[in-house]
């Protein structure tokens, strides 16, 4: 079931208070239109009733796609600082829904399912794109680190993030976004062979991959914000 509830959102442009429907959960099997809206960037967007400014409240929801074996807990991109507590909460929620604390029937449903903590709308869109392309998301984060290493002056800051926005058999297109506005600052095209090399030579990346073992937040920024 996809669940919505009304909340108030204040327009940052004119100060008008708008009532918006905030999503608490998305069931992509029953509402494929919501998955499509996430992919095209229109999900949870609404124009301010007074000035027309596009509003998009930060995410706070769960996402379920049984057909694709995907379960995500999604929260604001700003919460990367102190993500460990959020990751623990996501793990407990997963355990109650499909994991060790779920009913036997639910545990069977959860077998083979990918569970993730995702921070921000661009990150959620990235997950859907990456898995649709058959990418391993840990290897994708390692590929991003390679991109960072090779850029002369990447727009790297606490308030920016690098996200996959499209891809095919030849190339992966990534874009730098502002966390607060989702505005694209810069795009970079990466040969797909860069990602394939990580998959084909796992021993070269074993030490780095080990830092993601058991993690629900598969995001290179966890290496920057980890408290331990």
């Amino acid at each position: 079931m996809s669940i919505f509830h009304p909340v108030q959102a204040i327009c940052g442009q004119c100060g008008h208070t708008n009532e918006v429907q905030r999503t608490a959960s998305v069931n992509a099997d029953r509402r494929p239109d919501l998955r499509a809206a996430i992919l095209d960037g229109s999900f949870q967007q609404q124009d301010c009733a007074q000035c027309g400014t596009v509003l998009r409240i930060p995410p706070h929801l769960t996402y379920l796609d049984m057909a694709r074996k995907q379960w995500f807990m999604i929260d604001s991109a700003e919460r990367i600082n102190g993500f460990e507590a959020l990751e623990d909460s996501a793990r407990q929620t997963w355990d109650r829904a499909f994991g060790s604390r779920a009913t036997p029937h639910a545990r069977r449903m959860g077998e083979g399912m990918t569970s993730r903590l995702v921070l921000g709308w661009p990150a959620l869109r990235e997950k859907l794109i990456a898995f649709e392309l058959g990418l391993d998301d840990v290897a994708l984060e390692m590929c991003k680190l390679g991109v960072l290493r090779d850029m002369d002056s990447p727009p790297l800051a606490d308030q920016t993030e690098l996200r996959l926005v499209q891809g095919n058999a030849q190339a992966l297109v990534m874009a730098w976004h502002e966390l607060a506005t989702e505005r694209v600052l810069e795009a970079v095209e990466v040969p797909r062979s860069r990602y394939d090399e990580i998959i084909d030579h796992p021993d070269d990346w074993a030490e780095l991959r080990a830092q993601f073992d058991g993690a629900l937040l598969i995001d290179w920024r966890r290496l920057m914000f980890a408290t331990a």
Side-chain angles (χ1 to χ4, degrees):
M1 180 183 296
S2 299
I3 300 173
F4 302 82
H5 55 85
V7 298
Q8 292 184 332
I10 299 174
C11 177
Q13 188 69 28
C14 71
H16 180 71
T17 299
N18 297 264
E19 184 173 290
V20 301
Q21 293 295 316
R22 185 170 199 170
T23 310
S25 66
V26 167
N27 185 316
D29 300 283
R30 297 183 179 181
R31 293 290 305 273
D33 59 308
L34 300 183
R35 180 178 184 275
I38 293 169
L39 285 168
D40 70 23
S42 64
F43 185 65
Q44 288 279 257
Q45 283 193 355
Q46 180 176 317
D47 293 344
C48 174
Q50 182 160 294
C51 72
T53 297
V54 177
L55 307 175
R56 197 180 202 191
I57 56 177
H60 182 71
L61 69 148
T62 57
Y63 175 95
L64 176 65
D65 189 330
M66 292 299 300
R68 294 178 175 84
K69 306 293 282 184
Q70 296 166 358
W71 179 93
F72 308 145
M73 189 171 98
I74 307 103
D75 218 299
S76 168
E78 304 285 347
R79 299 193 66 183
I80 185 65
N81 192 0
F83 70 86
E84 291 99 335
L86 200 57
E87 191 171 49
D88 286 343
S89 177
R91 186 169 287 109
Q92 292 175 30
T93 303
W94 161 258
D95 284 343
R96 289 192 298 268
F98 297 105
S100 60
R101 298 168 61 188
T103 65
H105 175 67
R107 288 199 299 270
R108 287 194 294 272
M109 291 175 62
E111 290 177 358
M113 192 175 293
T114 297
S115 57
R116 293 288 186 263
L117 169 64
V118 180
L119 299 183
W121 293 121
L124 175 57
R125 182 174 184 268
E126 174 185 70
K127 284 293 183 218
L128 300 187
I129 293 171
F131 290 144
E132 198 67 18
L133 290 171
L135 303 181
D136 172 82
D137 57 349
V138 177
L140 177 61
E141 296 306 302
M142 296 176 186
C143 186
K144 290 180 189 178
L145 290 171
V147 171
L148 285 172
R149 180 192 61 201
D150 294 345
M151 292 184 73
D152 292 333
S153 53
L156 181 62
D158 288 353
Q159 294 300 310
T160 61
E161 59 180 357
L162 182 63
R163 295 295 174 196
L164 177 73
V165 293
Q166 59 180 294
N168 53 40
Q170 288 73 45
L172 303 176
V173 180
M174 303 179 188
W176 288 95
H177 295 77
E178 283 185 340
L179 262 63
T181 66
E182 299 178 29
R183 183 170 67 94
V184 173
L185 303 174
E186 182 180 344
V188 57
E189 185 172 300
V190 182
R192 175 66 181 258
S193 58
R194 291 281 299 275
Y195 167 87
D196 293 336
E197 184 177 335
I198 295 169
I199 296 297
D200 294 341
H201 300 89
D203 291 345
D204 296 343
W205 300 86
E207 184 176 349
L208 181 57
R209 179 177 282 273
Q211 298 187 57
F212 293 90
D213 286 350
L216 291 187
L217 179 64
I218 306 301
D219 188 322
W220 65 269
R221 295 181 304 150
R222 69 178 294 130
L223 306 179
M224 296 172 57
F225 288 91
T227 56

